[in-house]
Amino acid sequence: MPPLTKYFEIASSPVPVMRTSILMLIINALRDAGMNPRELLARNGIDPDIEKESYSVVEMERYLNLFEKAATLNDNKALGFELGLACTPGQIGPLGLLFQALPTLRKAVLAFGNYLFAVQSHSSLTLNSDNDIAEIIYSLDVPQNWPCQQDVELTLALLINLIRERLGSQWLPIQVDFMHAPDKKAAMIRRRIGCPIFYRQPHNRILFDEQYLDDRRTMTDPDLIRILERHVCDLIGEEYAAQPFISTVMLAIRRCILAGNPSLASVARALYTSPRTLQRLLAREGTTFRSMLDTSRKELADTFEQRDQLNRDTLAYRIGYSDGTSLSRSRKRWKK
């Protein structure tokens, strides 16, 4: 077994990065199609020997570009979607195995979102539920001109497959939304998933019946769950896993902002606690949820404004405001 990269703090990497375990899905697909993946890896600035170390990392921009080129070379624009539906929990690594080991789907999805940065940085996955409908939202905090379609379709298809592994192959979502535009494969994706698909939506998300969230598995192995969680923490890095409580909350708030739901309730769910308990713990640290949310929004606003040059209304939406006027009021307060 290759050594674990214990002290690689993937979540705080200034450059978006991915674990090689996801890249291996693409490499194997190219080989199955009779192609030489080493040439494509080299042309995209990726070490051709990277596949020998499943715990190493690659810059996300290179991974995304490689993914789109692989789909084109393979003459298969549905490559990401098909890889996601065929992916097994073990191919994802300890995070996929943990998803299957936890006693309820709710805990599985929350853990997947909480530990996602063990696999990739600059991304978030959140779970929300309201009016008997649950939604899983996946988002990438990367420049808008980066090609994300293959990765997004892989991720949502992968999640659907993981849920079917738990609930049975007949399980169907209510609806799936993509932020990107439809193409010729849209009808095929609709048939394979078995539910309505909508494009050019505000979020990449899966909607399904909330009743499935708390169905308990008849048999779980607490020892296995502890081992898998320890393994995931090793991948994150012990220094990061043991970071102060405030830093953990700040990261959860940031992920919820990027997923479009920066509410106290959604952040508390991401931290496996109740809103009241979270507020009490923050008060003990001498701060409030509102103050931390405001700080996170300011940091994200500065980042997006410098990097993506967004207009006021678009920037406001990206950081969780309903309109540009609300953002303008906050900016005046930040300057004081």
Side-chain angles (χ1 to χ4, degrees):
M1 177 179 177
L4 299 181
T5 52
K6 280 191 172 184
Y7 298 104
F8 178 75
E9 297 186 9
I10 193 169
S12 58
S13 171
V15 177
V17 290
M18 299 282 300
R19 290 282 179 192
T20 312
S21 56
I22 303 299
L23 183 63
M24 282 302 301
L25 299 175
I26 308 170
I27 292 174
N28 290 333
L30 290 171
R31 281 210 178 92
D32 291 344
M35 301 179 191
N36 182 358
R38 294 179 64 85
E39 294 179 4
L40 187 59
L41 288 168
R43 287 203 302 270
N44 283 272
I46 301 173
D47 182 358
D49 292 324
I50 196 170
E51 61 181 300
K52 296 178 181 178
E53 172 53 87
S54 59
Y55 290 103
S56 61
V57 296
V58 61
E59 289 184 19
M60 189 180 292
E61 183 178 14
R62 298 180 189 276
Y63 152 80
L64 293 173
N65 285 324
L66 176 75
F67 209 161
E68 296 295 332
K69 290 177 182 177
T72 300
L73 289 173
N74 215 14
D75 194 25
N76 181 8
K77 289 298 184 180
L79 179 62
F81 172 77
E82 291 178 352
L83 290 178
L85 279 189
C87 187
T88 65
Q91 287 176 307
I92 305 169
L95 191 58
L97 296 173
L98 182 62
F99 191 98
Q100 299 305 321
L102 287 164
T104 67
L105 179 59
R106 184 187 301 274
K107 290 185 176 181
V109 175
L110 288 173
F112 199 95
N114 229 24
Y115 293 133
L116 181 61
F117 47 86
V119 177
Q120 62 190 64
S121 70
H122 293 69
S123 56
S124 67
L125 187 140
T126 56
L127 172 67
N128 307 307
S129 58
D130 187 35
N131 296 326
D132 299 325
I133 302 296
E135 65 173 3
I136 300 173
I137 297 177
Y138 173 63
S139 61
L140 287 168
D141 177 19
V142 298
Q144 290 181 314
N145 62 341
W146 285 16
C148 300
Q149 181 170 331
Q150 293 296 325
D151 174 77
V152 166
E153 292 184 0
L154 177 143
T155 302
L156 294 197
L158 180 153
L159 286 165
I160 289 171
N161 195 43
L162 287 176
I163 295 173
R164 285 175 174 170
E165 288 276 344
R166 291 183 62 100
L167 302 180
S169 60
Q170 301 305 309
W171 178 84
L172 297 175
I174 295 173
Q175 175 181 320
V176 173
D177 292 348
F178 292 113
M179 295 176 68
H180 56 260
D183 52 27
K184 293 180 180 179
K185 67 179 182 296
M188 181 276 291
I189 290 179
R190 181 190 296 266
R191 288 195 303 272
R192 295 285 299 277
I193 294 180
C195 73
I197 311 293
F198 295 91
Y199 293 86
R200 296 191 179 95
Q201 298 302 302
H203 302 290
N204 301 303
R205 65 176 185 168
I206 302 168
L207 299 176
F208 58 97
D209 195 321
E210 186 183 20
Q211 68 172 332
Y212 294 110
L213 285 176
D214 296 309
D215 285 348
R216 298 188 66 86
R217 290 201 148 181
T218 54
M219 294 183 62
T220 58
D221 187 340
D223 291 331
L224 175 61
I225 292 172
R226 280 193 292 270
I227 290 170
L228 291 171
E229 287 181 331
R230 180 65 261 173
H231 194 167
V232 171
C233 286
D234 280 337
L235 291 174
I236 295 169
E238 290 184 351
E239 294 173 356
Y240 184 81
Q243 67 178 314
F245 171 70
I246 291 296
S247 298
T248 303
V249 176
M250 286 292 280
L251 180 62
I253 290 174
R254 179 186 173 94
R255 291 204 303 268
C256 288
I257 289 173
L258 295 175
N261 187 15
S263 66
L264 173 63
S266 64
V267 174
R269 280 195 298 270
L271 295 169
Y272 298 92
T273 189
S274 68
R276 182 173 296 180
T277 299
L278 177 56
Q279 287 177 311
R280 186 176 68 251
L281 293 173
L282 290 175
R284 190 180 298 170
E285 297 286 337
T287 188
T288 65
F289 175 78
R290 184 182 295 274
S291 174
M292 294 184 68
L293 175 60
D294 196 53
T295 298
S296 296
R297 278 174 163 160
K298 181 181 183 302
E299 291 174 352
L300 285 172
D302 291 342
T303 298
F304 289 145
E305 196 166 36
Q306 294 172 14
R307 189 189 66 194
D308 297 338
Q309 298 181 337
L310 304 176
N311 63 45
R312 188 189 68 168
D313 289 341
T314 302
L315 177 60
Y317 180 79
R318 288 282 295 276
I319 61 174
Y321 287 112
S322 58
D323 53 49
T325 302
S326 300
L327 173 59
S328 296
R329 286 197 296 266
S330 292
R331 275 180 163 157
K332 290 178 182 178
R333 186 177 66 256
W334 295 337
K335 291 178 180 178
K336 292 180 180 179

